[in-house]
């Protein structure tokens, strides 16, 4: 069963891009949290002869990010060193990257991922696509504020990749402003009008009016877009994703398809990304790290359920099969078993 088959069931559910105090995450506030005890445990694990990785994993995966920030602040006050610096000094590779991501505030972490995508050797549009297609306004604003406060005096929207495809640049800039309508009301007449406008801008005309797709998919609320997807299927032989895939190409196609997938189901979108990151020879650890860290307090339980529904086995078992060592152990603790 595809996400399109389930679309009607999604119309009355909350927006998957709206982040509230979620009960769908695998990581929550630890009820027995004592910052002094955690700082002491981490110091022993990092300062002793040899690093005790088990303690690092136990503490950092079983505390919420807000609790980790309290730990990091107390750790620096106690030792005169930052927890990030000590983690980098005593661990390495993917395990180091994962632990550092866990002790980084979400907005700062997202901003670092965006900066890495923009500033690296060639812009990595796939990372920008994943982040901007799936984050709420609140998350994007936190990302932009972190970027502004810590890394540059220019707004992130001014730093988007200047690529020949101006439609892609425009769309990234619009998303980076965090101005999507997040109301829960659905205007059926508007959905029909938007579906008609999208059909006429794509399938019905010679050449595609990319601006119309960008305007509607970037600004409408998720519940409104879900209704628009239904209306589009009523007037076209294709669903909107198929239409985008036939009318567009390259980075713009990838970004708009990601938006449509997140409108239908953000957990299913991430389940697919996780599957592809571990499919075949080799594993893309950076994707595993980014998704499990960023979704662990949001909707990772839903992602696990979608993964099992789509691929017939658990996300935990796939991680266990594909990733080993301390890095794999940390991912499994974040994921949890179904």
């Amino acid at each position: 069963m595809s996400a399109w088959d389930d679309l009607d069931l999604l119309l009355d559910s909350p927006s998957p891009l709206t982040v509230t105090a979620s009960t769908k995450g695998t990581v929550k506030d630890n009820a027995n949290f004592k910052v002094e005890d955690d700082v002491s445990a981490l110091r022993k694990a990092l300062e002793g002869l040899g690093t005790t990785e088990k303690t690092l994993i136990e503490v950092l995966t079983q505390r919420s990010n807000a609790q980790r920030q309290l730990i990091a602040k107390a750790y620096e006050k106690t030792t005169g060193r930052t927890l990030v610096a000590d983690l980098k000094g005593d661990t390495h590779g993917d395990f180091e990257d994962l632990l550092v991501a866990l002790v980084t505030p979400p907005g700062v972490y997202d901003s670092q991922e965006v900066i890495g995508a923009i500033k690296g050797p060639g812009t990595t549009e796939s990372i920008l696509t994943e982040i901007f297609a799936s984050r709420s306004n609140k998350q994007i604003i936190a990302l932009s504020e972190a970027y502004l406060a810590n890394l540059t005096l220019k707004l992130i929207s001014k730093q988007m990749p200047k690529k020949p495809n101006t439609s892609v640049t425009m769309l990234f800039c619009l998303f980076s402003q965090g101005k999507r309508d997040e109301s829960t009301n659905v205007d059926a007449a508007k959905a029909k009008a938007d579906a008609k406008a999208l059909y006429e801008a794509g399938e019905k005309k010679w050449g595609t009016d990319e601006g119309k797709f960008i305007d509607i998919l970037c600004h409408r609320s998720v519940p409104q877009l879900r209704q628009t997807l239904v209306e589009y299927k009523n007037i076209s032989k294709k669903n909107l994703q198929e239409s985008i895939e036939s009318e567009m190409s390259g980075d713009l196609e990838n970004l708009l398809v990601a938006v449509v997938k997140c409108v239908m189901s953000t957990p299913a979108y991430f389940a697919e990304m996780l599957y592809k990151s571990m499919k075949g020879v080799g594993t893309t650890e950076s994707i595993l790290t980014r998704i499990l860290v960023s979704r662990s307090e949001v909707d990772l339980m839903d992602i696990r359920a979608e993964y099992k529904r789509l691929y017939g086995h658990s996300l935990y078992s796939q991680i266990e099969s594909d990733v080993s060592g301390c890095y794999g152990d940390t991912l499994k603790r974040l994921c949890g078993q179904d």
Side-chain angles (χ1 to χ4, degrees):
M1 181 181 292
S2 72
W4 287 98
D5 296 319
D6 294 334
L7 182 57
D8 291 340
L9 299 177
L10 291 170
L11 291 175
D12 295 325
S13 63
S15 160
L17 298 184
T18 301
V19 177
T20 57
S22 176
T23 59
K24 301 297 181 67
T26 56
V27 175
K28 300 175 175 61
D29 283 337
N30 189 305
N32 300 314
F33 174 63
K34 293 182 180 178
V35 66
E36 299 85 359
D37 291 349
D38 286 346
V39 169
S40 177
L42 291 174
R43 289 190 66 182
K44 289 178 181 178
L46 291 166
E47 293 176 352
L49 186 61
T51 302
T52 310
E53 289 85 356
K54 184 177 179 180
T55 300
L56 300 181
I57 296 170
E58 177 67 29
V59 172
L60 297 180
T61 62
Q62 303 305 304
R63 310 292 185 270
S64 66
N65 191 276
Q67 291 174 329
R68 293 181 209 124
Q69 299 316 308
L70 296 175
I71 293 170
K73 185 176 181 179
Y75 187 95
E76 184 172 4
K77 184 177 181 180
T78 303
T79 66
R81 306 182 305 273
T82 67
L83 180 55
V84 167
D86 280 3
L87 288 172
K88 287 184 175 181
D90 284 73
T91 59
H92 62 276
D94 297 316
F95 182 49
E96 172 196 328
D97 293 341
L98 179 51
L99 295 184
V100 170
L102 286 171
V103 299
T104 304
V108 175
Y109 178 65
D110 275 349
S111 75
Q112 291 172 347
E113 292 294 291
V114 168
I115 289 167
I118 295 173
K119 300 294 186 182
T123 302
T124 309
E125 275 81 2
S126 61
I127 297 175
L128 301 180
T129 294
E130 174 198 324
I131 290 175
F132 287 116
S134 66
R135 300 308 193 252
S136 67
N137 288 349
K138 183 178 179 181
Q139 289 173 310
I140 290 175
I141 289 170
L143 182 166
S144 194
E145 287 176 347
Y147 194 106
L148 178 65
N150 300 321
L151 302 161
T152 181
L153 295 178
K154 297 181 180 179
L155 287 170
I156 191 169
S157 61
K158 304 295 185 182
Q159 297 292 305
M160 285 294 107
K162 301 301 186 291
K163 294 287 183 178
N165 190 336
T166 57
S167 295
V168 175
T169 302
M170 181 195 308
L171 191 48
F172 279 133
C173 288
L174 287 172
F175 276 128
S176 68
Q177 294 169 15
K179 293 183 178 180
R180 179 187 292 281
D181 177 12
E182 291 192 330
S183 66
T184 57
N185 297 326
V186 174
D187 184 331
K190 187 176 184 179
K192 288 182 179 180
D194 281 349
K196 184 173 182 289
L198 289 170
Y199 180 70
E200 293 178 346
E203 291 184 63
K204 197 175 180 181
K205 67 176 293 185
W206 180 260
T208 303
D209 182 356
E210 296 172 346
K212 181 61 65 177
F213 280 80
I214 291 171
D215 178 46
I216 293 174
L217 292 176
C218 183
H219 290 111
R220 302 291 189 267
S221 71
V222 171
Q224 183 68 33
L225 285 173
R226 285 176 175 165
Q227 186 62 46
T228 302
L229 297 184
V230 173
E231 299 298 340
Y232 192 91
K233 286 183 70 177
N234 290 335
I235 63 175
S236 172
K237 295 180 180 179
K238 302 175 181 177
N239 60 48
L240 186 56
Q241 180 180 331
E242 291 168 340
S243 177
I244 292 170
E245 289 170 342
S246 65
E247 297 292 324
M248 302 180 194
S249 62
D251 296 326
L252 181 60
E253 175 195 340
N254 294 335
L255 179 51
L256 292 179
V257 165
V259 172
V260 171
K261 287 181 177 180
C262 285
V263 165
M264 292 189 292
S265 171
T266 304
Y269 168 72
F270 280 116
E272 180 185 5
M273 289 198 65
L274 286 167
Y275 176 76
K276 289 181 177 178
S277 75
M278 293 181 281
K279 181 182 178 182
V281 179
T283 300
T284 309
E285 286 81 2
S286 60
I287 294 177
L288 283 176
T289 295
R290 186 168 55 250
I291 294 177
L292 265 69
V293 169
S294 66
R295 310 310 293 189
S296 61
E297 294 183 51
V298 181
D299 55 1
L300 188 49
M301 290 180 70
D302 289 337
I303 293 170
R304 284 186 341 199
E306 285 298 309
Y307 192 96
K308 194 166 188 176
R309 182 181 74 88
L310 291 168
Y311 305 112
H313 56 271
S314 71
L315 176 59
Y316 184 96
S317 66
Q318 189 66 57
I319 292 172
E320 191 170 43
S321 172
D322 279 64
V323 190
S324 60
C326 294
Y327 177 65
D329 291 341
T330 310
L331 290 177
K332 286 186 290 184
R333 290 302 297 268
L334 285 175
C335 176
Q337 297 195 54
D338 293 22

